[in-house]
Amino acid sequence: MRKVFSLSMIMVLCLTLVLTACGNSGDSNKGNSSTANGNKETGNTAPNDSGAPADTPDKQNSDPAEDGKKETVTLKWATWMGKEEADQYIKAFEATHPHIKIQKDPAVDWPWNEKLSAVAAAGELPDVMWTFGVPFAAANGWLEDLTPYLENDPEYQSGKTFKNLDATANYDGKQYALPHSLYMFAINLNLDLFEKENVPVPPVNWTIDDMRDAAIKLTKFNDKQFGMSGLGGLRQTLPSAFDTSLDWNTWDGEKFNFTSPAFKEASDYVDELLYSDKVSYDIYKPEEIQGWFGKDQWPWMLGKVGMQYDGTWSISGNAKNAKFKWDVRPLPSAKGQRVPLITDYVGLSKSSKHKQEAFEFIKWLTFSKEGWMERMKPEWPLGSIPLVNDEEVWSAYLGREDMPPGMKELVKMIPDGFVDLIKWLPGYQVGLSSVYDPTFKDINDRKVKLEDVAADLDKRMNDSYIEAVAQLKAVK
């Protein structure tokens, strides 16, 4: 098991981003968890508003008649969901929790952290909040520690959540948030192009050589047909194929490792695909691409790309709009094969006057089987990958008509997956915007070579992390 460190909280830069949002085997403690999960520093009961112990009710076994006798409370919920989607969640939750009413908070929108800061300053934090950066929210004292609630909840204690995901939002043994949505990066395959070019469809356990060979064979420049697209993002995730101890962007649980051989190998591989093999339109000017495919046209959806590196949020769009057969594969292997994951988080406001009820809503959004079975109904749009490892939930998810067959194998890789750092690792947002992005702009513009700046990149990214840890220790 990887070495872990204890954290408290941190103030990070507010980034305005557009979100696309976003397992049956394996070591559930493996992955990019850099925090100590499950350090039980608190008691076994969650306090209610009066300070007295309050049992966490099991809503799946609760009596609706009893719920009807409870005082009705109204909770504010800050979410970046659109109104229609949020209303669908609210209606489904309230149907089984009639004493809890949910209102989407219109005061919290983008830029997310700035708007949260504004409502916090006004003393009007929502009871339940999406967080774009758990350390930011925790550092400001906005988030309640969920640990006592979770310790008292039989459904959570059943062990069906993915602990490598939960651990990312655990600092100093305090669970400040939980993942409410899960996505993964994978390779989308245009099966019709594979058939047209007589290229074998790769198996799940394919290799980097398989991917490169297929990309070259699928590329027909004169036809403006390309073997791959979206290759730039592979720099942050493909190093794990060359060294399975590395997570997102070479993080190993303690530090960044841009000077590692694996990062150089992965970067060289991406450069060869882009600049030597020229299998992607990514390297061409926007006006050239527009001239080939038309304004505001996506070459993948036009059927002009054989393999697209993308998130699983693209499944719904592919199912609705692709006029070709398609499937998904995990990242290929060099010396190992792991899947990159993306998580979004929800937390409970410290200032909420109805914390027990707010926790019930958080539970329904995150680890409640009842909640996930509702979300898996065919009439619901395909969104997050389930966050509970339950046979019935997986059957409902994988059995959907819009589900590509390859996802059955990818979900088995979740317990060994590694999570995008941007919403949970202290100091990462700062380092990303001030160090990593400018450096790679120079690399991509061919102004500098990776080997000449890797040591400086290592130092500055790790300095950003070290500085963040020092700030954490100063927070009371």
Side-chain angles (χ1 to χ4, degrees):
M1 179 173 149
R2 297 181 186 174
K3 186 174 180 180
V4 297
F5 62 85
S6 296
L7 302 176
S8 298
M9 300 157 280
I10 179 175
M11 178 73 75
V12 296
L13 292 181
C14 172
L15 300 181
T16 303
L17 298 179
V18 178
L19 298 184
T20 56
C22 124
N24 297 322
S25 62
D27 180 1
S28 63
N29 289 318
K30 192 175 179 181
N32 69 346
S33 167
S34 60
T35 56
N37 187 51
N39 294 338
K40 300 181 179 180
E41 298 178 351
T42 56
N44 294 322
T45 58
N48 61 19
D49 293 332
S50 66
D55 290 336
T56 301
D58 182 350
K59 284 297 173 185
Q60 286 184 267
N61 298 317
S62 63
D63 184 347
E66 289 299 317
D67 282 349
K69 298 176 183 177
K70 296 178 181 178
E71 178 186 358
T72 299
V73 302
T74 299
L75 305 176
K76 282 189 176 181
W77 174 33
T79 171
W80 50 69
M81 284 181 176
K83 184 179 185 304
E84 184 177 350
E85 186 179 10
D87 285 347
Q88 188 175 30
Y89 277 66
I90 291 170
K91 182 179 179 182
F93 174 76
E94 290 181 350
T96 54
H97 301 73
H99 68 295
I100 305 175
K101 304 301 178 184
I102 308 295
Q103 293 180 350
K104 185 177 185 295
D105 191 343
V108 186
D109 206 334
W110 295 99
W112 197 257
N113 287 345
E114 289 182 12
K115 293 295 180 66
L116 272 179
S117 297
V119 296
E124 297 178 354
L125 271 173
D127 301 272
V128 175
M129 68 187 86
W130 269 201
T131 66
F132 190 78
V134 179
F136 178 85
N140 281 283
W142 300 340
L143 298 177
E144 182 81 359
D145 177 16
L146 297 175
T147 306
Y149 297 84
L150 297 173
E151 288 178 342
N152 197 49
D153 190 283
E155 196 168 350
Y156 186 81
Q157 293 300 319
S158 69
K160 289 188 176 182
T161 63
F162 296 104
K163 300 308 179 187
N164 59 323
L165 307 184
D166 294 350
T168 57
N170 188 296
Y171 307 96
D172 254 349
K174 296 180 180 180
Q175 194 74 45
Y176 282 108
L178 287 173
H180 65 76
S181 295
L182 172 65
Y183 311 91
M184 63 175 67
F185 270 107
I187 310 292
N188 291 338
L189 308 180
N190 181 328
L191 299 180
D192 285 356
L193 278 190
F194 274 83
E195 182 177 1
K196 171 190 168 187
E197 303 299 343
N198 198 29
V199 178
V201 176
V204 171
N205 60 340
W206 61 332
T207 67
I208 58 169
D209 292 334
D210 295 331
M211 188 168 81
R212 184 180 183 187
D213 182 61
I216 293 171
K217 291 178 178 177
L218 291 165
T219 300
K220 305 291 182 184
F221 182 79
N222 291 338
D223 297 332
K224 300 303 179 284
Q225 175 181 300
F226 293 92
M228 292 200 74
S229 60
L231 285 169
L234 282 172
R235 295 186 192 278
Q236 297 190 28
T237 55
L238 198 59
S240 67
F242 293 88
D243 182 348
T244 57
S245 71
L246 298 181
D247 296 339
W248 202 285
N249 230 353
T250 76
W251 179 254
D252 67 1
E254 295 180 336
K255 63 185 184 304
F256 293 98
N257 297 273
F258 295 106
T259 54
S260 69
F263 189 68
K264 179 70 164 59
E265 289 176 296
S267 294
D268 287 348
Y269 177 82
V270 172
D271 282 348
E272 287 170 359
L273 287 171
L274 285 171
Y275 303 109
S276 298
D277 304 327
K278 296 184 177 180
V279 301
S280 176
Y281 64 83
D282 297 342
I283 61 173
Y284 297 95
K285 295 179 180 179
E287 54 266 28
E288 289 181 284
I289 298 171
Q290 181 174 313
W292 297 337
F293 304 113
K295 186 178 180 180
D296 300 325
Q297 295 298 311
W298 189 17
W300 162 258
M301 203 59 74
L302 294 174
K304 303 297 287 185
V305 175
M307 295 180 287
Q308 169 80 19
Y309 180 62
D310 207 344
T312 52
W313 48 76
S314 66
I315 291 177
S316 182
N318 289 342
K320 292 177 183 177
N321 303 314
K323 306 302 182 184
F324 50 84
K325 293 183 293 183
W326 62 280
D327 202 356
V328 295
R329 293 292 182 270
L331 292 185
S333 170
K335 298 178 182 177
Q337 193 174 30
R338 298 174 63 207
V339 63
L341 305 170
I342 303 94
T343 45
D344 289 323
Y345 299 88
V346 59
L348 168 59
S349 172
K350 264 190 177 181
S351 61
S352 174
K353 296 179 179 178
H354 308 288
K355 291 178 182 176
Q356 190 63 56
E357 290 82 1
F359 173 75
E360 283 302 316
F361 185 44
I362 290 173
K363 172 180 175 176
W364 193 90
L365 291 168
T366 59
F367 66 90
S368 163
K369 180 177 178 178
E370 174 196 271
W372 281 102
M373 288 304 295
E374 185 69 26
R375 292 163 74 172
M376 293 301 104
K377 289 181 177 179
E379 61 267 26
W380 280 58
L382 178 65
S384 169
I385 298 167
L387 283 158
V388 290
N389 195 7
D390 179 90
E391 184 176 352
E392 189 176 1
V393 173
W394 283 126
S395 178
Y397 176 73
L398 296 172
R400 294 178 62 110
E401 291 185 0
D402 48 6
M403 184 62 55
M407 279 297 291
K408 183 176 181 179
E409 297 303 318
L410 266 70
V411 298
K412 295 178 182 178
M413 303 172 70
I414 293 172
D416 190 41
F418 55 98
V419 185
D420 186 358
L421 309 172
I422 195 167
K423 300 186 191 85
W424 67 269
L425 185 68
Y428 186 65
Q429 289 187 14
V430 174
L432 196 66
S433 62
S434 63
V435 180
Y436 181 90
D437 287 345
T439 299
F440 267 91
K441 184 180 186 303
D442 288 343
I443 292 174
N444 292 332
D445 290 344
R446 322 307 275 176
K447 293 180 180 179
V448 298
K449 295 181 179 180
L450 173 62
E451 51 268 33
D452 294 334
V453 298
D456 181 65
L457 185 62
D458 244 10
K459 181 180 185 305
R460 294 173 67 198
M461 286 295 287
N462 285 317
D463 283 350
S464 179
Y465 166 72
I466 291 168
E467 182 179 351
V469 172
Q471 293 178 30
L472 288 171
K473 292 180 179 178
V475 176
K476 303 299 182 182

